[in-house]
Amino acid sequence: MNRREIVLASIVHVLGARPNFVKAAPVIEALAARGARQAVVHTGQHYDERMSDVFFRELGLPEPDVNLGVGSGSHAVQTAALMTGLEQEFIGRSPGLVIVYGDVNSTIAAALVAAKLGIPVAHVEAGLRSFDMTMPEEVNRRLTDQLSDLCLVTSPEAIGHLADEGVDVARCHLVGNPMIDTLLKNLDTFDTDAVRAAHGLPDRYVLATLHRPANVDSPDTAAVLVKNVHGVADMVEVVIPVHPRGRANLLAAGLDDHDGVHVLEPLGYIDFLAAVRGAAAVVTDSGGLQEETTILGVPCLTVRPNTERPITITHGTNRLVGFDELVPRTRAALEEGARGTTRTPPLWDGAAGPRCAEVIMEFLGD
């Protein structure tokens, strides 16, 4: 465990995986501008340098006050290790508020520990629902919201979900999407030509990211997915930075056996969004990428039966597809070209971080 000297802080941010870092950066910056005393606890849930450290550097996040170094493991093993480490940190730091982000195991672990210690919890990105309880993320976000004193909401429908589950609407605040703050702040740095040159990418390509358990954990399912990715590669070259999760099954299924498939290591935030910005279309099962393509105007095919971000369909470029639909839907997206966005989701304007900070400071009485 890497640790700096413990400094008492009124706010502790718990970050564990790359989507958390992108969401947290504008919130931490806005709270710092208001003079908040903050500490950052990195759980080490994403422990690979390419999945973690590079994001801190590129997003201007403060060096974590501690890295618990939890690493990978089954849900039970990882969550238990997270709770043990976080309990020690919260007792030592005695914060007035713990802020958690998104829906990863670090999020629910921190919420559980804080609630049992009587420490208030704020959940950034509260209320999103896929209504698919087979997804570990759905379990995490539902339970986190029940434990949270502040539910900071990114899209209007989420408030309805929370109300339906008995969450007091007085705890719910529509603040917008801090992930979009980060995207807009860095938009001028997304240099597609530089990334294309650095990684030998073709002039026209589809970018793919695939890591959801339902898609990659079963060798048989991964093989069907790879077959359809190869079908896309028959039309247009496919660039796929491969997430550590599912890498073995995807490669065993022959992902890189097609000449039109370019398998890359995970990319940092700037390079990845530059590659997304230059793509003819995106094929993904990621949650955050559905949001980012909505703002960038890139056609997005989400390989899932559901999404906790339906606003990316009604207001953006996103479409849900099954395995058997992937090739024809990608062909249609390529023929149609970039649709742009006809409407921007409410408050996805680059100012979610300051709105989060305002709600948080008012809650703390500062």
Side-chain angles (χ1 to χ4, degrees), residues 221-302:
T221 302
V224 176
L225 178 58
V226 166
K227 177 182 177 181
N228 284 281
V229 171
H230 286 176
V232 173
D234 289 337
M235 299 183 293
V236 61
E237 294 185 70
V238 175
V239 173
I240 178 166
V242 180
H243 192 286
R245 182 182 191 96
R247 181 182 181 89
N249 281 344
L250 290 172
L251 293 180
L255 177 65
D256 57 351
D257 289 345
H258 193 294
D259 290 342
V261 175
H262 302 259
V263 174
L264 305 181
E265 295 296 324
L267 300 174
Y269 177 77
I270 300 297
D271 282 357
F272 179 71
L273 266 295
V276 170
R277 190 180 195 180
V282 164
V283 171
T284 189
D285 54 18
S286 163
L289 194 47
Q290 297 172 50
E291 298 176 333
E292 289 158 334
T293 50
T294 284
I295 299 302
L296 293 173
V298 177
C300 181
L301 293 307
T302 298

